[in-house]
């Protein structure tokens, strides 16, 4: 049987952060020739700094971007033209702390602590931590008692430099192995899903509604190609590891960084779902929490 030959379609796909194991289905689909078999030339583009993905798409510099449900919902509430269409990673995560220091043993102990989080001094960090504190039974913690530090996504560095007591918006499969490789042997975290916060430790593909309607067939091929790559990740993990190590040039990394690459890859392997659905009920719950914690205007969007 002659295989179907598709015309080549280019997709400029913007990552949300530097390349890491969270992007494994994209890397495997590229290295294994899966994108090519679907007629796709997928260009993976790292942000040089934080970017507003929908603006890059509207300006014609990107076609698709990787984002997190939290940011997708926040952008939608602001009336931005965003549309999520495929969830390809679902891990665990929440708030990182150093259990070895002994001053934090349960979420209630975080009341009044200094929080490091991207977007500081915005409301996100205290909203996440205080929701956990309340879920742990401490209902009298003043939301204004928290101090804020913008350590960007360098969560481990923020704690080890004593600029913060806790750091949020962490994925356990990356930050916990990284922290331990950098010497924080008692690195620990409180999970969103266990302490009252909607579980947004996911990565999804997004574009604008206009681009989605215009290139729906091409984007369907993108999702199917990533789904096939996810099968290889689960069924041939050694091959996926080989592809990933080649992609990030592991052999040229420092000893510490090689340890981080090894540990984060292993921790991330189970995090890729076969089901790429994005349920309406989940996003309604997430939006409700954002409104309840005054992170978005419930009358806007």
């Amino acid at each position: 049987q002659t295989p179907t030959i598709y015309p080549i379609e280019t997709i400029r796909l913007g990552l949300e952060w530097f390349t890491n194991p969270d992007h494994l289905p994209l890397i495997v689909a590229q290295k294994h020739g899966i994108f090519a078999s679907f007629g796709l030339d997928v260009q993976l583009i790292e942000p040089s700094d934080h970017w507003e993905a929908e603006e890059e798409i509207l300006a014609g510099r990107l076609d698709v971007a990787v984002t997190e449900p939290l940011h997708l919902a926040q952008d939608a509430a602001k009336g931005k033209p965003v549309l999520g269409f495929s969830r390809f990673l679902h891990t665990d995560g929440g708030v990182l702390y150093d259990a070895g220091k002994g001053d934090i043993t349960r979420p209630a102990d975080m009341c009044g602590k200094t929080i490091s989080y991207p977007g500081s001094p915005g409301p996100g960090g205290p909203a996440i931590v205080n929701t956990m504190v309340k879920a742990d039974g401490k209902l009298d913690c003043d939301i204004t008692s928290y101090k804020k530090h913008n350590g960007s996504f360098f969560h481990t560095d923020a704690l080890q430099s004593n600029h913060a007591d806790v750091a949020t918006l962490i994925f356990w499969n990356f930050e916990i192995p990284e922290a331990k490789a950098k010497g924080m042997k008692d690195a620990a975290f409180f999970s969103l899903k266990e302490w009252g916060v909607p579980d947004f430790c996911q990565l999804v593909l997004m574009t604008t509604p206009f681009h989605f309607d215009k290139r729906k067939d091409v984007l369907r091929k993108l999702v199917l190609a990533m789904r096939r790559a996810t099968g290889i990740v689960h069924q041939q993990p050694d091959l996926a590891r080989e592809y990933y190590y080649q992609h990030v040039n592991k052999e040229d990394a420092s000893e510490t960084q090689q340890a981080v690459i090894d540990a984060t890859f292993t921790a991330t392997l189970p995090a890729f779902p076969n089901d790429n659905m994005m349920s309406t009920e989940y996003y309604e719950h997430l939006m409700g929490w954002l409104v309840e914690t005054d992170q978005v205007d419930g009358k806007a969007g």
Side-chain angles (χ1 to χ4, degrees):
Q1 183 178 355
T2 303
T4 301
I5 299 176
Y6 298 105
I8 298 296
E9 294 272 5
T10 298
I11 298 178
R12 294 160 299 173
L13 194 151
L15 305 179
E16 85 293 354
W17 200 24
F18 68 87
T19 303
N20 64 75
D22 293 347
H23 308 128
L24 196 54
L26 292 163
I27 294 166
V28 170
Q30 197 174 61
K31 294 277 188 182
H32 201 69
I34 299 172
F35 283 147
S37 73
F38 277 90
L40 300 177
D41 172 22
V42 179
Q43 301 170 3
L44 304 181
I45 304 169
E46 289 188 14
S48 56
D49 196 357
H50 175 72
W51 58 18
E52 298 295 336
E54 83 288 345
E55 293 179 8
E56 296 294 308
I57 294 170
L58 289 170
R61 292 186 287 269
L62 292 177
D63 301 299
V64 176
V66 176
T67 190
E68 299 174 22
L70 178 65
H71 302 140
L72 186 65
Q74 289 170 332
D75 287 344
K78 295 174 184 174
K80 293 185 176 183
V82 294
L83 187 152
F85 62 91
S86 180
R87 173 184 61 110
F88 68 90
L89 175 127
H90 196 156
T91 184
D92 202 349
V95 179
L96 173 71
Y97 68 100
D98 185 354
K101 292 183 176 180
D103 59 331
I104 297 175
T105 61
R106 56 187 292 177
D109 295 335
M110 296 191 292
C111 180
K113 297 292 189 182
T114 300
I115 311 166
S116 180
Y117 60 103
S120 174
I128 293 167
V129 173
N130 208 48
T131 297
M132 291 183 159
V133 168
K134 285 183 175 181
D136 194 25
K138 185 171 178 56
L139 305 179
D140 60 349
C141 188
D142 187 344
I143 191 76
T144 64
S145 69
Y146 297 99
K147 294 171 280 297
K148 305 170 184 178
H149 170 69
N150 193 336
S152 185
F153 289 98
F154 300 103
H155 306 293
T156 301
D157 294 347
L159 269 60
Q160 290 186 313
S161 64
N162 293 317
H163 285 123
D165 303 300
V166 300
T168 192
L169 295 180
I170 71 118
F171 283 4
W172 94 270
N173 59 297
F174 190 88
E175 271 77 23
I176 297 298
E178 178 197 53
K180 290 182 176 180
K182 290 185 174 182
M184 193 190 300
K185 63 184 181 67
D186 295 312
F189 76 104
F190 297 118
S191 174
L192 301 179
K193 69 183 189 316
E194 297 175 17
W195 297 102
V197 183
D199 176 12
F200 47 72
C201 294
Q202 309 169 35
L203 290 180
V204 302
L205 300 178
M206 61 81 64
T207 187
T208 65
F210 173 80
H211 280 77
F212 184 80
D213 288 339
K214 184 178 179 182
R215 304 192 72 189
K216 187 177 293 186
D217 290 344
V218 174
L219 298 180
R220 181 175 184 273
K221 292 175 187 175
L222 173 64
V223 173
L224 291 175
M226 290 177 66
R227 190 176 294 173
R228 186 176 297 175
T230 296
I232 291 176
V233 170
H234 293 310
Q235 297 159 28
Q236 302 181 63
D238 290 340
L239 178 60
R241 187 185 296 268
E242 180 183 334
Y243 285 148
Y244 180 69
Y245 287 0
Q246 290 173 357
H247 189 78
V248 299
N249 298 313
K250 181 198 167 194
E251 62 183 21
D252 296 332
S254 67
E255 185 176 346
T256 297
Q257 189 57 28
Q258 285 196 26
V260 171
I261 291 170
D262 280 334
T264 55
F265 180 91
T266 300
T268 307
L269 273 177
F272 303 104
N274 293 317
D275 178 4
N276 305 118
M277 295 290 288
M278 299 170 60
S279 76
T280 301
E281 292 82 358
Y282 166 77
Y283 280 90
E284 288 176 348
H285 178 50
L286 175 58
M287 193 66 77
W289 175 76
L290 288 170
V291 172
E292 179 186 342
T293 53
D294 296 320
Q295 297 181 72
V296 302
D297 185 352
K299 299 178 182 178

